[in-house]
């Protein structure tokens, strides 16, 4: 079964073709990062307009790269939740129109659940499939989902069956990376720029707090972000009323690197602490990490040293937003859920992932 996936929930317009939930035949991602960098974050209006301009060529490119025409596509899958309304709408309208026109079954996919499925794509023929793991994860599967909008630990007993063990009570970890980068004057997106600066910094230079929460699997990052702000203010000798956008001018490169390293160390350690606790409690067969922050090398190395199992990592281009993960999840969803009528499909911008047993 060959599925064409479409993803447009934030600032990437993406389309991909995946066969049987494991073979990646094409994956096109058109990022808007260059456009949003000048504003220091994603501007929803601008994002939607850009999706509109590129979505049709991106879908066509995904078909061309897979060397397929519509007659050889069995179904269409699209992200319908969660995300920015205008952005989600463009992908959803495109998918429902194509499904209607070409008479294909349509599957509506939850973006956060789909991030986990980047780990189900495996090694095969062609340039794209060359760096992928040789086997799929096994159930029970513990997934740490860490992105710009989400931070949660999920235990999957099978496809479509999962329990949310814990989640962030405030900021997502990727969002914390983005906000801390802004405070210390590193460019958007903060994840990659903080991890680059952190290589040259001392992770123990500034003592930063780890949140303590009632549910041992929940996360919180807003206190850590504020602690970085206070530490920067104290380092440069100003009080809390000093305009925060002027703080970066007062930091030298060494201080910037040390703040990046100290923040990254604590943020990543709190993700790893909870993943290890969950691993010990539930003894899963496999552990995967998913979402944009899964690209973080410090996260990968801390997990490697603290977990007794090997983790197969998806390549970085499949950790950040893409449509291959959407088309991949759709294959498994199709085994237990009927397709949706294209005329009935609606977006759900704030629909969270909830336990489904
Ligand atoms: O999954 P994603 O592409 O989009 C969402 O669904 O949110 O995640 C984007 C997030 C951003 O917050 C970005 O700063 C973060 O992933 N990110 C990283 C790294 N690369 C991207 N965070 C930490 N380290 C990285 N290397
Ligand atoms: Zn995402």
């Amino acid at each position: 079964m060959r599925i064409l996936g479409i993803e447009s929930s934030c600032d990437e317009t993406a389309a991909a073709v995946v066969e049987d939930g494991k073979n990646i035949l094409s994956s096109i991602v058109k990022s808007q990062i260059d456009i949003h960098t000048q504003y220091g974050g994603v501007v929803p209006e601008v994002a939607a307009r850009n999706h509109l301009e590129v979505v049709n060529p991106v879908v066509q490119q995904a078909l061309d790269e897979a060397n397929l025409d519509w007659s050889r596509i069995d179904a269409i899958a699209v992200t319908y939740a969660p995300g920015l309304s205008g952005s989600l709408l463009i992908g959803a309208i495109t998918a429902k129109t194509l499904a209607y026109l070409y008479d294909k079954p349509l599957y509506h996919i939850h973006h956060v659940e789909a991030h986990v499925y980047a780990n189900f794509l495996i090694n095969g023929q062609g340039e794209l499939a060359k760096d992928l793991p040789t086997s799929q994860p096994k159930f029970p599967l513990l997934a740490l989902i860490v992105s710009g909008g989400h931070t949660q630990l999920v235990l999957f007993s099978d496809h479509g069956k999962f329990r949310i063990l814990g989640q962030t009570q405030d900021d997502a970890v990727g969002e914390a990376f983005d906000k801390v980068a802004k405070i210390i004057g590193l460019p958007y997106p903060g994840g990659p720029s903080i991890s680059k600066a952190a290589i040259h910094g001392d992770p123990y230079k500034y003592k930063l707090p780890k949140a303590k929460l009632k549910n041992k699997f929940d996360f919180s990052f807003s206190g850590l972000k504020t602690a970085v702000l206070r530490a920067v203010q104290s380092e440069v000798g100003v009080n809390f009323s000093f305009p925060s956008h002027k703080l970066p001018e007062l930091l030298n490169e060494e201080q910037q690197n040390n703040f990046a390293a100290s923040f990254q160390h604590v943020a990543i350690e709190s993700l790893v602490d909870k993943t290890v606790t969950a691993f010990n409690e539930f003894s899963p067969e496999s552990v995967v990490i998913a979402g944009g922050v899964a690209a973080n090398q410090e996260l990968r190395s801390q997990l490697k040293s603290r977990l007794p199992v090997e983790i197969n990592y998806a390549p970085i281009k499949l950790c950040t937003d893409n449509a291959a993960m959407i088309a991949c999840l759709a294959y498994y969803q199709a085994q237990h859920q009927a397709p949706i009528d294209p005329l009935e499909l609606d977006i759900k911008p704030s629909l969270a992932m909830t336990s489904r047993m």
Side-chain angles (χ1 to χ4, degrees):
M1 186 180 189
R2 278 183 292 267
I3 303 183
L4 174 100
I6 299 174
E7 153 65 37
S8 68
S9 63
C10 188
D11 60 345
E12 264 101 19
T13 323
V17 181
V18 172
E19 188 174 49
D20 297 336
K22 57 175 193 270
N23 302 319
I24 179 165
L25 304 185
S26 68
S27 177
I28 307 296
V29 180
K30 173 90 182 56
S31 171
Q32 304 175 1
I33 279 183
D34 293 350
I35 301 164
H36 298 292
T37 299
Q38 57 186 308
Y39 307 108
V42 179
V43 183
E45 280 274 307
V46 176
R49 242 177 283 136
N50 275 278
H51 285 305
L52 186 58
E53 275 172 29
V54 303
V55 69
N56 287 327
V58 165
V59 168
Q60 189 56 49
Q61 257 178 290
L63 289 172
D64 292 347
E65 192 181 281
N67 226 343
L68 298 168
D69 60 23
W70 282 106
S71 68
R72 299 183 61 209
I73 296 294
D74 301 303
I76 297 174
V78 66
T79 305
Y80 81 111
L84 301 169
S85 311
S87 293
L88 284 169
L89 260 182
I90 308 298
I93 291 169
T94 305
K96 60 208 265 184
T97 308
L98 290 170
Y100 189 79
L101 273 179
Y102 293 108
D103 197 20
K104 307 285 179 192
L106 177 64
Y107 294 94
H108 59 311
I109 301 294
H110 195 282
H111 177 92
V112 184
E113 188 181 347
H115 265 299
V116 174
Y117 280 77
N119 295 286
F120 281 84
L121 296 163
I122 56 170
N123 199 279
Q125 285 173 349
E127 195 56 28
L128 273 172
K130 155 167 122 308
D131 300 326
L132 304 188
T134 50
S135 61
Q136 292 188 316
K138 295 187 181 61
F139 297 104
L141 167 68
L142 178 65
L144 172 68
I145 307 175
V146 277
S147 74
H150 303 272
T151 304
Q152 49 195 38
L153 260 175
V154 186
L155 186 66
F156 284 75
S157 59
D158 202 345
H159 296 293
K161 291 192 177 146
F162 52 81
R163 198 172 125 202
I164 313 286
L165 301 177
Q167 55 203 330
T168 184
Q169 301 300 298
D170 39 58
D171 292 351
V173 62
E175 192 180 351
F177 269 86
D178 295 337
K179 287 178 175 169
V180 167
K182 212 168 187 172
I183 294 170
I184 62 176
L186 293 172
Y188 173 86
S193 53
I194 286 196
S195 48
K196 224 184 279 163
I199 295 172
H200 311 287
D202 172 3
Y204 304 103
K205 175 77 188 173
Y206 303 103
K207 184 109 189 71
L208 298 168
K210 259 195 241 174
K212 288 203 176 58
L213 297 144
K214 243 190 356 222
N215 171 5
K216 62 184 171 198
F217 299 123
D218 277 344
F219 303 92
S220 162
F221 293 100
S222 93
L224 173 58
K225 172 203 67 194
T226 308
V228 173
L229 176 63
R230 298 286 174 254
V232 171
Q233 288 163 340
S234 127
E235 178 77 15
V236 299
V238 299
N239 71 17
F240 62 88
S241 63
F242 185 82
S244 59
H245 67 273
K246 291 200 168 144
L247 284 172
E249 297 161 23
L250 306 177
L251 287 175
N252 62 36
E253 198 179 323
E254 188 188 344
Q255 290 167 318
Q256 227 177 12
N257 293 344
N258 288 337
F259 275 115
S262 302
F263 159 75
Q264 174 174 265
H265 181 76
V266 172
I268 296 298
E269 199 170 63
S270 59
L271 296 175
V272 175
D273 287 348
K274 285 156 204 239
T275 308
V276 172
T277 307
F279 180 87
N280 292 337
E281 188 159 327
F282 300 104
S283 311
E285 280 290 318
S286 302
V287 180
V288 299
I289 55 175
V293 183
N296 187 275
Q297 291 303 331
E298 173 73 16
L299 175 60
R300 293 176 177 215
S301 72
Q302 283 196 29
L303 281 171
K304 190 175 164 61
S305 67
R306 292 185 53 197
L307 278 180
V309 285
E310 278 283 317
I311 298 188
N312 284 330
Y313 293 112
I316 288 171
K317 59 179 186 296
L318 292 175
C319 290
T320 48
D321 287 352
N322 66 86
M325 65 188 198
I326 305 298
C328 182
L329 169 55
Y331 173 78
Y332 302 96
Q333 195 167 302
Q335 321 290 315
H336 61 84
Q337 209 182 86
I340 186 168
D341 177 346
L343 301 178
E344 297 290 313
L345 174 66
D346 211 355
I347 57 161
K348 297 265 188 303
S350 48
L351 181 74
M353 218 175 138
T354 45
S355 297
R356 211 191 297 139
M357 319 283 256

Short mmCIF file of all heavy atoms in Angstrom, two decimals, residues 111 115 147 321 325, ligand 2:
data_model
loop_
_atom_site.label_atom_id
_atom_site.label_comp_id
_atom_site.label_asym_id
_atom_site.label_seq_id
_atom_site.Cartn_x
_atom_site.Cartn_y
_atom_site.Cartn_z
N HIS A 111 -0.35 14.81 14.41
CA HIS A 111 1.06 15.14 14.16
C HIS A 111 2.00 14.58 15.24
O HIS A 111 3.09 14.07 14.92
CB HIS A 111 1.17 16.67 14.10
CG HIS A 111 2.55 17.18 13.93
ND1 HIS A 111 3.11 17.44 12.70
CD2 HIS A 111 3.51 17.50 14.83
CE1 HIS A 111 4.33 17.88 12.86
NE2 HIS A 111 4.61 17.93 14.15
N HIS A 115 5.09 11.71 14.87
CA HIS A 115 6.54 11.87 15.11
C HIS A 115 7.18 10.53 15.51
O HIS A 115 8.29 10.22 15.11
CB HIS A 115 6.80 12.91 16.20
CG HIS A 115 7.06 14.29 15.65
ND1 HIS A 115 8.13 14.55 14.81
CD2 HIS A 115 6.42 15.47 15.82
CE1 HIS A 115 8.12 15.84 14.48
NE2 HIS A 115 7.09 16.41 15.08
N SER A 147 9.33 18.04 21.04
CA SER A 147 9.34 18.93 19.87
C SER A 147 9.15 20.37 20.33
O SER A 147 9.22 20.68 21.52
CB SER A 147 8.23 18.52 18.91
OG SER A 147 6.99 18.91 19.44
N ASP A 321 9.99 18.14 11.46
CA ASP A 321 8.73 17.94 10.75
C ASP A 321 8.94 17.46 9.31
O ASP A 321 9.75 18.02 8.57
CB ASP A 321 7.91 19.24 10.76
CG ASP A 321 7.33 19.50 12.14
OD1 ASP A 321 7.43 18.61 13.01
OD2 ASP A 321 6.77 20.59 12.34
N MET A 325 6.65 10.63 8.07
CA MET A 325 6.10 10.10 9.33
C MET A 325 4.56 10.07 9.28
O MET A 325 3.93 9.20 9.89
CB MET A 325 6.60 10.94 10.52
CG MET A 325 6.11 12.37 10.53
SD MET A 325 6.93 13.34 11.83
CE MET A 325 5.79 14.75 11.96
ZN1 LIG B 2 6.59 18.33 14.87
#
